[in-house]
Amino acid sequence: MRRAVLEWGRFILIWGVCVLSFRAFAFGSYYVPSESMLPTLAVGDHFIAAKYAYGYSRHSPDITLPEGFIPTADGRLLSHLPQRGDIVVLKPEGAPEALVKRVIGLPGDTVQIAHGRLVLNGQVIGRHETGAYDYRDDHGRTVHVTEYVEDLPATDGRLARHAVLQRSDEGPADNTGVYTVPAGHVFLMGDNRDNSQDSRFPYPDLGFVPLDRVIARAQFTAYTNHFCKAESDLTCPGGDWTSRFGRSLKP
């Protein structure tokens, strides 16, 4: 009897170590709590993210490790720079939960918003309108916006085309100064441009994000908590909930 208990205990311990290692170093599952990444990710979406995509830092595990735990110059192992257009998971300083945003600027890039248009390294980024878009905010109010497809240049020369929402081209964050992304940092924005606290707003909101706090790249949606009844159900933009299952999130 004692031997059987010890064997079961050993099995459970090994299984637990394997699960924790998988979550820490391979893939993680994350939940979308806000409208800031609409229309790409809706409230209630759960998605899978690759933790190995950019290497590992002390922030990669579910529990942040002590400072200096990884003894490298940048505090990262097997580090890789994100691509512009990647949807990433980050652990902001002082925030209780991980956030999800899109990479817009890399170290050395200049970023500006001018009359609602993204200006990257002095070039106005192309966009084209795809139609009206309505959703309900977290207070239950219907919000009317316009959807565009933006032609963000990825690092490898491709265009990382993705949808963005714009309520107005003259909102509070639609005309900014020029941001120069410092070494070891990235500039992140939400796809719902007029409803996102992102790198346009300096710390303690978000500001430039250190690379060691970017912990994973979103790969695909797993499931959603919203079970929509019809295309007109504004609680789940994009119509039937099944259309939000298994979608690739890579640009």
PDB file of all heavy atoms in Angstrom, residues 193-215:
ATOM      1  N   ARG A 193      -8.193  51.669 -31.929  1.00  0.00           N
ATOM      2  CA  ARG A 193      -7.282  52.794 -31.701  1.00  0.00           C
ATOM      3  C   ARG A 193      -7.818  53.864 -30.755  1.00  0.00           C
ATOM      4  O   ARG A 193      -7.034  54.522 -30.067  1.00  0.00           O
ATOM      5  CB  ARG A 193      -6.909  53.425 -33.058  1.00  0.00           C
ATOM      6  CG  ARG A 193      -6.064  52.486 -33.930  1.00  0.00           C
ATOM      7  CD  ARG A 193      -4.651  52.388 -33.412  1.00  0.00           C
ATOM      8  NE  ARG A 193      -3.880  51.315 -34.006  1.00  0.00           N
ATOM      9  CZ  ARG A 193      -3.269  51.368 -35.201  1.00  0.00           C
ATOM     10  NH1 ARG A 193      -3.398  52.448 -35.943  1.00  0.00           N
ATOM     11  NH2 ARG A 193      -2.582  50.354 -35.634  1.00  0.00           N
ATOM     12  N   ASP A 194      -9.104  54.067 -30.714  1.00  0.00           N
ATOM     13  CA  ASP A 194      -9.650  55.095 -29.825  1.00  0.00           C
ATOM     14  C   ASP A 194     -10.167  54.507 -28.514  1.00  0.00           C
ATOM     15  O   ASP A 194     -10.854  55.188 -27.752  1.00  0.00           O
ATOM     16  CB  ASP A 194     -10.780  55.871 -30.525  1.00  0.00           C
ATOM     17  CG  ASP A 194     -10.244  56.762 -31.631  1.00  0.00           C
ATOM     18  OD1 ASP A 194      -9.137  57.301 -31.469  1.00  0.00           O
ATOM     19  OD2 ASP A 194     -10.928  56.908 -32.666  1.00  0.00           O
ATOM     20  N   ASN A 195      -9.811  53.247 -28.245  1.00  0.00           N
ATOM     21  CA  ASN A 195     -10.224  52.615 -26.989  1.00  0.00           C
ATOM     22  C   ASN A 195      -9.106  51.681 -26.525  1.00  0.00           C
ATOM     23  O   ASN A 195      -9.326  50.489 -26.318  1.00  0.00           O
ATOM     24  CB  ASN A 195     -11.534  51.851 -27.183  1.00  0.00           C
ATOM     25  CG  ASN A 195     -12.120  51.344 -25.881  1.00  0.00           C
ATOM     26  OD1 ASN A 195     -11.603  51.624 -24.803  1.00  0.00           O
ATOM     27  ND2 ASN A 195     -13.200  50.584 -25.978  1.00  0.00           N
ATOM     28  N   SER A 196      -7.909  52.223 -26.372  1.00  0.00           N
ATOM     29  CA  SER A 196      -6.770  51.399 -25.971  1.00  0.00           C
ATOM     30  C   SER A 196      -5.763  52.233 -25.204  1.00  0.00           C
ATOM     31  O   SER A 196      -5.311  53.279 -25.681  1.00  0.00           O
ATOM     32  CB  SER A 196      -6.089  50.799 -27.215  1.00  0.00           C
ATOM     33  OG  SER A 196      -4.915  50.091 -26.858  1.00  0.00           O
ATOM     34  N   GLN A 197      -5.422  51.772 -24.012  1.00  0.00           N
ATOM     35  CA  GLN A 197      -4.324  52.366 -23.249  1.00  0.00           C
ATOM     36  C   GLN A 197      -3.044  51.640 -23.674  1.00  0.00           C
ATOM     37  O   GLN A 197      -2.857  50.478 -23.342  1.00  0.00           O
ATOM     38  CB  GLN A 197      -4.566  52.194 -21.749  1.00  0.00           C
ATOM     39  CG  GLN A 197      -5.731  52.998 -21.221  1.00  0.00           C
ATOM     40  CD  GLN A 197      -5.472  54.496 -21.245  1.00  0.00           C
ATOM     41  OE1 GLN A 197      -4.359  54.932 -21.024  1.00  0.00           O
ATOM     42  NE2 GLN A 197      -6.504  55.276 -21.502  1.00  0.00           N
ATOM     43  N   ASP A 198      -2.188  52.319 -24.414  1.00  0.00           N
ATOM     44  CA  ASP A 198      -1.030  51.644 -24.987  1.00  0.00           C
ATOM     45  C   ASP A 198       0.195  52.547 -24.941  1.00  0.00           C
ATOM     46  O   ASP A 198       0.258  53.473 -24.113  1.00  0.00           O
ATOM     47  CB  ASP A 198      -1.350  51.163 -26.411  1.00  0.00           C
ATOM     48  CG  ASP A 198      -1.967  52.258 -27.286  1.00  0.00           C
ATOM     49  OD1 ASP A 198      -1.503  53.410 -27.206  1.00  0.00           O
ATOM     50  OD2 ASP A 198      -2.906  51.957 -28.042  1.00  0.00           O
ATOM     51  N   SER A 199       1.163  52.317 -25.804  1.00  0.00           N
ATOM     52  CA  SER A 199       2.441  53.040 -25.726  1.00  0.00           C
ATOM     53  C   SER A 199       2.322  54.521 -26.058  1.00  0.00           C
ATOM     54  O   SER A 199       3.275  55.279 -25.832  1.00  0.00           O
ATOM     55  CB  SER A 199       3.474  52.394 -26.648  1.00  0.00           C
ATOM     56  OG  SER A 199       3.846  51.120 -26.175  1.00  0.00           O
ATOM     57  N   ARG A 200       1.177  54.972 -26.573  1.00  0.00           N
ATOM     58  CA  ARG A 200       0.977  56.407 -26.772  1.00  0.00           C
ATOM     59  C   ARG A 200       0.879  57.147 -25.451  1.00  0.00           C
ATOM     60  O   ARG A 200       1.081  58.367 -25.405  1.00  0.00           O
ATOM     61  CB  ARG A 200      -0.307  56.638 -27.580  1.00  0.00           C
ATOM     62  CG  ARG A 200      -0.223  56.189 -29.024  1.00  0.00           C
ATOM     63  CD  ARG A 200      -1.577  56.264 -29.697  1.00  0.00           C
ATOM     64  NE  ARG A 200      -2.502  55.249 -29.191  1.00  0.00           N
ATOM     65  CZ  ARG A 200      -3.762  55.115 -29.585  1.00  0.00           C
ATOM     66  NH1 ARG A 200      -4.266  55.962 -30.480  1.00  0.00           N
ATOM     67  NH2 ARG A 200      -4.523  54.159 -29.090  1.00  0.00           N
ATOM     68  N   PHE A 201       0.562  56.404 -24.380  1.00  0.00           N
ATOM     69  CA  PHE A 201       0.373  57.004 -23.068  1.00  0.00           C
ATOM     70  C   PHE A 201       1.545  56.600 -22.176  1.00  0.00           C
ATOM     71  O   PHE A 201       1.750  55.407 -21.928  1.00  0.00           O
ATOM     72  CB  PHE A 201      -0.948  56.538 -22.467  1.00  0.00           C
ATOM     73  CG  PHE A 201      -2.134  56.830 -23.350  1.00  0.00           C
ATOM     74  CD1 PHE A 201      -2.600  55.868 -24.239  1.00  0.00           C
ATOM     75  CD2 PHE A 201      -2.750  58.060 -23.305  1.00  0.00           C
ATOM     76  CE1 PHE A 201      -3.684  56.132 -25.064  1.00  0.00           C
ATOM     77  CE2 PHE A 201      -3.835  58.340 -24.119  1.00  0.00           C
ATOM     78  CZ  PHE A 201      -4.307  57.375 -25.013  1.00  0.00           C
ATOM     79  N   PRO A 202       2.322  57.560 -21.690  1.00  0.00           N
ATOM     80  CA  PRO A 202       3.543  57.221 -20.938  1.00  0.00           C
ATOM     81  C   PRO A 202       3.249  56.514 -19.625  1.00  0.00           C
ATOM     82  O   PRO A 202       2.133  56.541 -19.116  1.00  0.00           O
ATOM     83  CB  PRO A 202       4.197  58.590 -20.708  1.00  0.00           C
ATOM     84  CG  PRO A 202       3.085  59.586 -20.806  1.00  0.00           C
ATOM     85  CD  PRO A 202       2.105  59.016 -21.795  1.00  0.00           C
ATOM     86  N   TYR A 203       4.288  55.851 -19.122  1.00  0.00           N
ATOM     87  CA  TYR A 203       4.196  55.183 -17.825  1.00  0.00           C
ATOM     88  C   TYR A 203       3.685  56.176 -16.772  1.00  0.00           C
ATOM     89  O   TYR A 203       4.093  57.332 -16.803  1.00  0.00           O
ATOM     90  CB  TYR A 203       5.582  54.660 -17.420  1.00  0.00           C
ATOM     91  CG  TYR A 203       5.587  53.906 -16.113  1.00  0.00           C
ATOM     92  CD1 TYR A 203       5.202  52.571 -16.063  1.00  0.00           C
ATOM     93  CD2 TYR A 203       5.943  54.546 -14.931  1.00  0.00           C
ATOM     94  CE1 TYR A 203       5.183  51.886 -14.848  1.00  0.00           C
ATOM     95  CE2 TYR A 203       5.923  53.861 -13.719  1.00  0.00           C
ATOM     96  CZ  TYR A 203       5.546  52.531 -13.694  1.00  0.00           C
ATOM     97  OH  TYR A 203       5.526  51.865 -12.503  1.00  0.00           O
ATOM     98  N   PRO A 204       2.751  55.802 -15.894  1.00  0.00           N
ATOM     99  CA  PRO A 204       2.379  54.435 -15.509  1.00  0.00           C
ATOM    100  C   PRO A 204       1.284  53.787 -16.346  1.00  0.00           C
ATOM    101  O   PRO A 204       0.856  52.682 -16.011  1.00  0.00           O
ATOM    102  CB  PRO A 204       1.914  54.604 -14.066  1.00  0.00           C
ATOM    103  CG  PRO A 204       1.304  55.974 -14.041  1.00  0.00           C
ATOM    104  CD  PRO A 204       2.147  56.800 -14.974  1.00  0.00           C
ATOM    105  N   ASP A 205       0.788  54.442 -17.431  1.00  0.00           N
ATOM    106  CA  ASP A 205      -0.218  53.771 -18.272  1.00  0.00           C
ATOM    107  C   ASP A 205       0.424  52.599 -19.004  1.00  0.00           C
ATOM    108  O   ASP A 205       0.067  51.471 -18.798  1.00  0.00           O
ATOM    109  CB  ASP A 205      -0.843  54.762 -19.246  1.00  0.00           C
ATOM    110  CG  ASP A 205      -1.821  55.700 -18.544  1.00  0.00           C
ATOM    111  OD1 ASP A 205      -2.534  55.229 -17.645  1.00  0.00           O
ATOM    112  OD2 ASP A 205      -1.864  56.886 -18.874  1.00  0.00           O
ATOM    113  N   LEU A 206       1.373  52.861 -19.892  1.00  0.00           N
ATOM    114  CA  LEU A 206       2.123  51.775 -20.529  1.00  0.00           C
ATOM    115  C   LEU A 206       3.472  52.284 -21.017  1.00  0.00           C
ATOM    116  O   LEU A 206       4.515  51.874 -20.559  1.00  0.00           O
ATOM    117  CB  LEU A 206       1.333  51.140 -21.682  1.00  0.00           C
ATOM    118  CG  LEU A 206       1.935  49.834 -22.206  1.00  0.00           C
ATOM    119  CD1 LEU A 206       1.979  48.771 -21.123  1.00  0.00           C
ATOM    120  CD2 LEU A 206       1.150  49.322 -23.414  1.00  0.00           C
ATOM    121  N   GLY A 207       3.457  53.238 -21.963  1.00  0.00           N
ATOM    122  CA  GLY A 207       4.712  53.766 -22.476  1.00  0.00           C
ATOM    123  C   GLY A 207       5.487  52.727 -23.276  1.00  0.00           C
ATOM    124  O   GLY A 207       4.928  51.717 -23.717  1.00  0.00           O
ATOM    125  N   PHE A 208       6.764  52.994 -23.492  1.00  0.00           N
ATOM    126  CA  PHE A 208       7.614  52.014 -24.178  1.00  0.00           C
ATOM    127  C   PHE A 208       7.727  50.763 -23.303  1.00  0.00           C
ATOM    128  O   PHE A 208       7.904  50.857 -22.087  1.00  0.00           O
ATOM    129  CB  PHE A 208       9.004  52.594 -24.437  1.00  0.00           C
ATOM    130  CG  PHE A 208       9.001  53.841 -25.277  1.00  0.00           C
ATOM    131  CD1 PHE A 208       9.470  55.037 -24.755  1.00  0.00           C
ATOM    132  CD2 PHE A 208       8.526  53.819 -26.570  1.00  0.00           C
ATOM    133  CE1 PHE A 208       9.482  56.192 -25.520  1.00  0.00           C
ATOM    134  CE2 PHE A 208       8.524  54.972 -27.353  1.00  0.00           C
ATOM    135  CZ  PHE A 208       8.999  56.156 -26.833  1.00  0.00           C
ATOM    136  N   VAL A 209       7.659  49.603 -23.926  1.00  0.00           N
ATOM    137  CA  VAL A 209       7.648  48.342 -23.175  1.00  0.00           C
ATOM    138  C   VAL A 209       8.997  47.653 -23.299  1.00  0.00           C
ATOM    139  O   VAL A 209       9.450  47.365 -24.418  1.00  0.00           O
ATOM    140  CB  VAL A 209       6.536  47.413 -23.688  1.00  0.00           C
ATOM    141  CG1 VAL A 209       6.579  46.067 -22.961  1.00  0.00           C
ATOM    142  CG2 VAL A 209       5.167  48.072 -23.513  1.00  0.00           C
ATOM    143  N   PRO A 210       9.694  47.375 -22.189  1.00  0.00           N
ATOM    144  CA  PRO A 210      10.970  46.646 -22.255  1.00  0.00           C
ATOM    145  C   PRO A 210      10.768  45.260 -22.871  1.00  0.00           C
ATOM    146  O   PRO A 210       9.767  44.587 -22.610  1.00  0.00           O
ATOM    147  CB  PRO A 210      11.402  46.543 -20.790  1.00  0.00           C
ATOM    148  CG  PRO A 210      10.648  47.635 -20.081  1.00  0.00           C
ATOM    149  CD  PRO A 210       9.351  47.762 -20.809  1.00  0.00           C
ATOM    150  N   LEU A 211      11.726  44.835 -23.684  1.00  0.00           N
ATOM    151  CA  LEU A 211      11.609  43.555 -24.367  1.00  0.00           C
ATOM    152  C   LEU A 211      11.510  42.380 -23.400  1.00  0.00           C
ATOM    153  O   LEU A 211      10.883  41.363 -23.712  1.00  0.00           O
ATOM    154  CB  LEU A 211      12.789  43.360 -25.316  1.00  0.00           C
ATOM    155  CG  LEU A 211      12.705  44.153 -26.626  1.00  0.00           C
ATOM    156  CD1 LEU A 211      14.046  44.142 -27.344  1.00  0.00           C
ATOM    157  CD2 LEU A 211      11.617  43.586 -27.533  1.00  0.00           C
ATOM    158  N   ASP A 212      12.120  42.512 -22.219  1.00  0.00           N
ATOM    159  CA  ASP A 212      12.056  41.373 -21.298  1.00  0.00           C
ATOM    160  C   ASP A 212      10.661  41.182 -20.717  1.00  0.00           C
ATOM    161  O   ASP A 212      10.370  40.143 -20.126  1.00  0.00           O
ATOM    162  CB  ASP A 212      13.102  41.492 -20.191  1.00  0.00           C
ATOM    163  CG  ASP A 212      12.819  42.609 -19.204  1.00  0.00           C
ATOM    164  OD1 ASP A 212      12.076  43.554 -19.559  1.00  0.00           O
ATOM    165  OD2 ASP A 212      13.343  42.557 -18.073  1.00  0.00           O
ATOM    166  N   ARG A 213       9.778  42.179 -20.897  1.00  0.00           N
ATOM    167  CA  ARG A 213       8.403  42.041 -20.424  1.00  0.00           C
ATOM    168  C   ARG A 213       7.460  41.545 -21.518  1.00  0.00           C
ATOM    169  O   ARG A 213       6.272  41.348 -21.277  1.00  0.00           O
ATOM    170  CB  ARG A 213       7.908  43.368 -19.842  1.00  0.00           C
ATOM    171  CG  ARG A 213       8.595  43.699 -18.519  1.00  0.00           C
ATOM    172  CD  ARG A 213       8.003  44.912 -17.845  1.00  0.00           C
ATOM    173  NE  ARG A 213       8.554  45.092 -16.505  1.00  0.00           N
ATOM    174  CZ  ARG A 213       8.074  44.524 -15.407  1.00  0.00           C
ATOM    175  NH1 ARG A 213       6.996  43.752 -15.487  1.00  0.00           N
ATOM    176  NH2 ARG A 213       8.634  44.727 -14.229  1.00  0.00           N
ATOM    177  N   VAL A 214       7.975  41.371 -22.737  1.00  0.00           N
ATOM    178  CA  VAL A 214       7.193  40.758 -23.818  1.00  0.00           C
ATOM    179  C   VAL A 214       7.429  39.257 -23.734  1.00  0.00           C
ATOM    180  O   VAL A 214       8.531  38.777 -24.007  1.00  0.00           O
ATOM    181  CB  VAL A 214       7.614  41.304 -25.186  1.00  0.00           C
ATOM    182  CG1 VAL A 214       6.845  40.623 -26.305  1.00  0.00           C
ATOM    183  CG2 VAL A 214       7.395  42.819 -25.246  1.00  0.00           C
ATOM    184  N   ILE A 215       6.421  38.496 -23.337  1.00  0.00           N
ATOM    185  CA  ILE A 215       6.657  37.107 -22.937  1.00  0.00           C
ATOM    186  C   ILE A 215       6.138  36.072 -23.921  1.00  0.00           C
ATOM    187  O   ILE A 215       6.473  34.888 -23.791  1.00  0.00           O
ATOM    188  CB  ILE A 215       6.038  36.834 -21.553  1.00  0.00           C
ATOM    189  CG1 ILE A 215       4.528  37.072 -21.574  1.00  0.00           C
ATOM    190  CG2 ILE A 215       6.714  37.694 -20.491  1.00  0.00           C
ATOM    191  CD1 ILE A 215       3.829  36.634 -20.289  1.00  0.00           C
TER     192      ILE A 215
END
